[in-house]
Amino acid sequence: MLSVSLGACSSKEASEPRSPYYSDIVTASRTADSDFEREVLSDGEVTRSEYEESVARYVKCANGQGVTINPVKQGDLYTYELGAGASAEKVADECSVGTTQKIEAFYGALVQNPTKGDMMQLIAACLSSSGLAPKGYDKAAFTADSESGSFPFDAEDPRFGECHLDPASH
């Protein structure tokens, strides 16, 4: 007698399409620098809580070596203020390996560019939709303006930085 067992797809697998970064993230898990990083990346996604945990591990690693790292929230991501000390940058670089280095890059891509679109076009569209750049401002104009360093708007305006940090939000 032959018995066949059919596995059912979970409702999540059936209803939610995978991110366009899925295969890149899974591939990165194979070269992970820590068990934590491998575990986070192995399912092909990076959640907010996994990102937060990677930042906490990064800070703890640096603190354990006498270096203070202060995460500063910038949109959905963090920038980092390093404490003083000759070895601070070296410790920060070393501690990022296996904690934030790969995880933060993928989480940033997922929140800043969830469709894996052309970043220059996304930034240009964000600048236009935010009202900073003229209507119809596009990738070609943004590229030319970036190369010349001359924009048809105030590049010191906070919307400029916001569009660079999170172009998908506008």
Side-chain angles (χ1 to χ4, degrees):
M1 184 154 126
L2 177 64
S3 174
V4 178
S5 175
L6 299 174
C9 292
S10 75
S11 61
K12 180 179 178 185
E13 289 173 3
S15 64
E16 293 181 26
R18 289 185 172 155
S19 142
Y21 297 96
Y22 176 83
S23 63
D24 297 332
I25 296 171
V26 170
T27 298
S29 75
R30 295 182 193 125
T31 60
D33 295 300
S34 68
D35 290 340
F36 166 71
E37 190 177 64
R38 189 171 353 306
E39 181 180 328
V40 168
L41 301 175
S42 65
D43 66 356
E45 58 185 64
V46 179
T47 65
R48 178 72 193 184
S49 62
E50 290 168 333
Y51 172 58
E52 292 286 348
E53 184 175 347
S54 75
V55 171
R57 287 173 180 248
Y58 174 57
V59 169
K60 182 178 179 181
C61 173
N63 287 343
Q65 296 184 51
V67 173
T68 301
I69 293 181
N70 181 34
V72 177
K73 194 162 173 128
Q74 298 281 317
D76 286 323
L77 301 173
Y78 291 101
T79 58
Y80 303 97
E81 294 175 349
L82 293 180
S87 65
E89 283 191 39
K90 182 179 184 228
V91 168
D93 288 344
E94 290 171 357
C95 285
S96 73
V97 175
T99 61
T100 57
Q101 191 175 59
K102 291 177 183 168
I103 292 168
E104 188 165 60
F106 283 117
Y107 184 74
L110 288 162
V111 298
Q112 293 175 326
N113 187 359
T115 61
K116 204 175 183 181
D118 182 313
M119 279 299 284
M120 297 292 276
Q121 181 58 44
L122 289 172
I123 293 170
C126 176
L127 292 168
S128 180
S129 67
S130 73
L132 181 59
K135 190 171 184 142
Y137 193 70
D138 63 8
K139 176 184 175 177
F142 179 62
T143 301
D145 293 344
S146 295
E147 289 172 359
S148 72
S150 176
F151 296 93
F153 51 81
D154 180 8
E156 298 298 318
D157 187 295
R159 292 174 289 180
F160 187 72
E162 291 167 7
C163 284
H164 275 272
L165 287 173
D166 191 4
S169 69
H170 289 75

